[in-house]
Amino acid sequence: MDDFYHALKVSPDACTGCTHCMTACPTRAIRVRHRLATIDAAACVDCGMCLKTCARRAIFVEQDDFNRIFQFSHRVILLPTVVFGQFGGEVSEERIFAELHAMGFTRVVETDRAAGILAAAMRDYMARNPHRRPFISAFCPAVVRLIQVRFPSLIPHVIPLKQALDLSAIYARRELELAGVPGNEIGVFYVTPCAAKIAAIKSPVGEEVSPVDGVINMDFIYNKVQVGLTRHRDQPLPPAPDQEFLSPESIAWTLSGGEAAAFEGRCLAIDEIHNVIDILEKIENEEIPGIDFVELRACDHSCAGGALTTNNRFLTLERLRARARANDGRRREAPEGIRQHDAFLRERAPLPGKIFPRPIERLDEDMTVALEKMQKINRIMEVVPGVDCGACGAPSCRELARDVVLGKAKLDQCIFMRQALLREGLMTPAEAIEMAERTWGKGRFGENK
Amino acid sequence: MEFSYDIAGGDFSRAGAASSEVKKILKQLNVELAVIKRVVVALYEAEVNVVAHAADGVMQVTLDSASIEVVIRDRGPGIPDIALAMQEGYSTASPRVREMGFGAGMGLPNIKRNCDSLDIESTVGVGTTVRMVTFFNR
């Protein structure tokens, strides 16, 4: 299996192996070993649930060094609309734009400006491929990865187009190149609300390389803007280039229901990864007939609930709704804006490659062997306690049984089984402690004699 | 290998639960995706039939590396004319059931389309037994 880049990392110093993330992971990708949460790269979909549940902030999102932007003479920052929702109403958009310029960016492009062109491309794709109904949006990279690992039979329903993030990056680059700037002097940096978008940029699905040069975490940019706002509090607003007003539809694009509102027919909008899994199960079973389009987002309240956002998601929504109202009817776009590149972007919108299945559920390639393994799992299930305590370092008894059969764990990791073995005299107390240390870490039970 | 699931008549909130369990098993066995899809669609229809019409039922699954056999046995009204019930659009579902989006009269024909062999035995006033077999490699 290929290697998949994951932005989510665990800090061995901060992690205590508490199992919260392990229980929260929707693809059951986490195990606790030696007092440390470890993430299975093949099963992780970068949804960020682990980061959100970690009370010790031991799970973090790796980002590029900010100073890398200065390797380029033309530094473009791609902003998702959600950025504006991070700030209170007292911070004007002009101030935010000014701060982004002040920290070194030469051009600010809102990613959702490409939403209109993308919606048109999606409409076009759906009209030309009616047999692929129900259509599933490829908006959320965590959802695309979830489909690859857990619902591979639904891959043909995914609309194989690049997203607003990619199209706006292509546009930003194109615009500068047309103005005579050499390609190697242009750096395009995306401000991400989540880990999934980083993974999508570092190891894209369905394309070789991403048009984005680097990624900056949204909380990092938020802090940097806040520092600037404090420092420049009493200074007049420095001149920043004119901004175009994003249309209400484009502002809504990354929020729940934003895509679904753009299309005809029966469209559903679902957010939060467990809700997404639930609906994908139903779609896979053909339980809901007559659906045309499904918008699926891994985070609660879509990108407003991203793991790297700082503001309360409801306050984010409030500000963005106010922004949409304020922009309604205002000058949508300069004549030299993104629309001018419509044909150019539409031509580049289809994903050049395939979205491959990467099923994680199978027990073996060979069905006969898989059957034997399943029988072994069922036998183990008869002896384990079935309380899913997580003390063995696996999220459930069934997962431990599966790990044992796949040779990734030992059954005596189970504290219940150890008690039984101790009672029968089949294990010494010292052996029991040694076994427990494999999950809980050395020295947790005092020094060994 | 054998599995068995109880199906509660009238409990539409749980309709599809047994089919989903079977789907999970087939995914673990590395059965081809297109085959899983056919099996699950057929099972879902059959499961909903039990929920919609019968008092209760049992889904018995027998698996080997070549095929899956599912027998769904219910205690219910039975089907007086199986040939008629096999016609698309024929339905005896009550308006209440139809309001929930079930009972469009596509059930049995859809099951037949999605399995390799289908046998239906039914006694009016006693119940119905549906036996479906699907081969993994044809």
Side-chain angles (χ1 to χ4, degrees):
Chain A
M1 183 162 283
D2 315 18
D3 280 337
F4 297 99
Y5 178 88
H6 297 292
L8 291 160
K9 307 281 171 194
V10 187
S11 155
D13 296 328
C15 179
T16 59
C18 77
T19 74
H20 285 143
C21 59
M22 180 179 84
T23 322
C25 176
T27 57
R28 301 180 289 269
I30 300 178
R31 299 291 183 272
V32 174
R33 296 276 182 273
H34 309 292
R35 199 186 175 164
L36 180 67
T38 54
I39 306 175
D40 176 4
C44 174
V45 297
D46 298 281
C47 71
M49 284 299 281
C50 52
L51 184 150
K52 291 177 192 171
T53 43
C54 181
R56 294 173 190 275
R57 302 174 68 95
I59 298 180
F60 62 97
V61 172
E62 203 175 50
Q63 68 174 342
D64 295 317
D65 174 18
F66 182 78
N67 289 320
R68 260 195 62 209
I69 72 165
F70 296 107
Q71 292 173 0
F72 303 90
S73 58
H74 288 75
R75 302 175 286 271
V76 181
I77 184 167
L78 293 180
L79 280 191
T81 321
V82 170
V83 169
F84 296 97
Q86 304 308 302
F87 296 91
E90 73 286 356
V91 183
S92 71
E93 287 182 23
E94 290 71 24
R95 273 273 169 213
I96 298 169
F97 280 113
E99 286 304 334
L100 294 170
H101 284 279
M103 72 178 74
F105 291 102
T106 56
R107 177 103 171 87
V108 181
V109 173
E110 289 196 56
T111 55
D112 302 310
R113 227 197 282 178
I117 290 171
L118 175 59
M122 289 167 78
R123 223 169 272 131
D124 194 44
Y125 175 86
M126 292 191 272
R128 281 186 290 105
N129 298 277
H131 57 288
R132 298 234 189 254
R133 233 187 324 247
F135 298 102
I136 300 174
S137 167
F139 175 95
C140 177
V143 169
V144 173
R145 283 159 172 71
L146 177 72
I147 290 172
Q148 286 181 287
V149 300
R150 279 195 59 182
F151 302 96
S153 74
L154 296 178
I155 289 175
H157 299 277
V158 177
I159 300 175
L161 294 177
K162 291 173 190 163
Q163 296 304 303
L165 148 64
D166 313 283
L167 296 179
S168 62
I170 296 169
Y171 156 66
R173 192 170 277 283
R174 169 82 172 166
E175 203 184 35
L176 286 167
E177 281 175 353
L178 287 177
V181 180
N184 59 2
E185 286 181 22
I186 306 168
V188 180
F189 295 84
Y190 174 68
V191 179
T192 183
C194 65
K197 298 269 190 199
I198 305 182
I201 288 164
K202 304 280 177 182
S203 57
V205 173
E207 45 182 337
E208 284 297 312
V209 281
S210 159
V212 177
D213 298 292
V215 187
I216 304 163
N217 292 353
M218 195 172 284
D219 52 354
F220 179 87
I221 280 289
Y222 172 81
N223 287 337
K224 221 167 159 56
V225 170
Q226 285 292 11
V227 167
L229 288 171
T230 317
R231 199 171 290 156
H232 307 140
R233 190 168 30 204
D234 303 321
Q235 293 170 19
L237 206 60
D242 272 355
Q243 282 303 320
E244 297 161 13
F245 295 106
L246 207 59
S247 72
E249 297 77 27
S250 299
I251 292 173
W253 188 255
T254 50
L255 306 177
S256 295
E259 284 176 280
F263 306 116
E264 301 278 313
R266 188 173 173 208
C267 302
L268 294 179
I270 285 108
D271 61 35
E272 205 278 329
I273 193 146
H274 295 94
N275 299 331
V276 168
I277 290 171
D278 199 52
I279 210 83
L280 288 173
E281 287 281 354
K282 287 189 190 308
I283 293 173
E284 200 177 42
N285 297 359
E286 294 189 7
E287 287 182 38
I288 357 176
I291 296 186
D292 295 296
F293 174 82
V294 258
E295 166 198 309
L296 302 170
R297 312 283 175 84
C299 290
D300 184 14
H301 286 76
S302 296
C303 300
L308 298 172
T309 57
T310 48
N311 201 4
N312 176 288
R313 65 193 79 135
F314 298 94
L315 297 176
T316 299
L317 285 180
E318 183 196 30
R319 167 136 198 190
L320 294 177
R321 288 204 187 105
R323 185 180 194 221
R325 275 195 303 276
N327 283 7
D328 201 7
R330 281 162 100 173
R331 184 173 62 114
R332 291 290 166 79
E333 213 172 289
E336 70 280 8
I338 196 167
R339 283 276 160 211
Q340 200 196 328
H341 306 281
D342 189 290
F344 181 83
L345 292 171
R346 286 284 290 274
E347 198 182 308
R348 278 151 189 82
L351 284 178
K354 273 199 158 89
I355 302 173
F356 288 103
R358 336 191 246 112
I360 52 169
E361 276 157 290
R362 60 185 176 202
L363 293 165
D364 203 280
E365 290 280 340
D366 182 330
M367 209 185 299
T368 315
V369 180
L371 262 168
E372 284 165 14
K373 288 182 176 172
M374 186 174 283
Q375 275 162 334
K376 281 183 193 160
I377 291 174
N378 291 343
R379 280 201 294 275
I380 294 174
M381 287 309 290
E382 286 168 17
V383 294
V384 288
V387 296
D388 299 340
C389 68
C392 61
S396 68
C397 295
R398 182 163 288 279
E399 287 303 315
L400 176 68
R402 185 184 160 93
D403 288 353
V404 169
V405 168
L406 295 179
K408 296 177 186 172
K410 291 204 160 75
L411 190 52
D412 41 16
Q413 282 172 221
C414 170
I415 51 168
F416 181 94
M417 295 304 290
R418 277 206 300 273
Q419 285 304 116
L421 291 171
L422 280 167
R423 187 184 160 158
E424 298 292 319
L426 296 170
M427 185 182 251
T428 66
E431 283 170 336
I433 285 177
E434 200 188 313
M435 213 49 226
E437 282 180 341
R438 286 198 195 175
T439 308
W440 298 85
K442 283 237 174 282
R444 297 296 287 275
F445 306 90
E447 284 309 305
N448 275 339
K449 284 177 193 130
Chain B
M1 197 162 38
E2 291 180 14
F3 301 90
S4 162
Y5 305 93
D6 291 333
I7 306 168
D11 188 357
F12 286 90
S13 66
R14 297 279 302 151
S19 312
S20 281
E21 286 302 314
V22 175
K23 180 172 76 179
K24 271 183 210 154
I25 290 169
L26 296 179
K27 281 185 177 181
Q28 292 179 61
L29 295 180
N30 199 25
V31 174
E32 206 185 309
L33 296 173
V35 178
I36 296 182
K37 179 133 203 149
R38 293 180 73 221
V39 172
V40 171
V41 168
L43 283 188
Y44 178 70
E45 290 287 359
E47 188 180 353
V48 168
N49 277 348
V50 175
V51 174
H53 300 288
D56 54 48
V58 179
M59 180 188 286
Q60 274 175 316
V61 182
T62 310
L63 269 170
D64 58 35
S65 58
S67 67
I68 174 170
E69 181 198 62
V70 182
V71 178
I72 297 177
R73 200 169 273 122
D74 72 43
R75 292 193 304 130
I79 306 170
D81 186 341
I82 293 174
L84 183 62
M86 291 299 295
Q87 289 175 15
E88 286 198 9
Y90 178 81
S91 175
T92 58
S94 68
R96 189 180 76 91
V97 168
R98 287 174 194 241
E99 266 172 29
M100 293 188 220
F102 302 104
M106 307 301 283
L108 289 183
N110 205 14
I111 295 174
K112 194 171 172 62
R113 258 199 306 280
N114 284 294
C115 61
D116 295 334
S117 88
L118 171 68
D119 295 309
I120 304 176
E121 281 170 34
S122 193
T123 311
V124 173
V126 178
T128 303
T129 299
V130 175
R131 182 176 166 275
M132 311 174 237
V133 179
T134 300
F135 295 96
F136 297 139
N137 295 305
R138 274 186 307 168

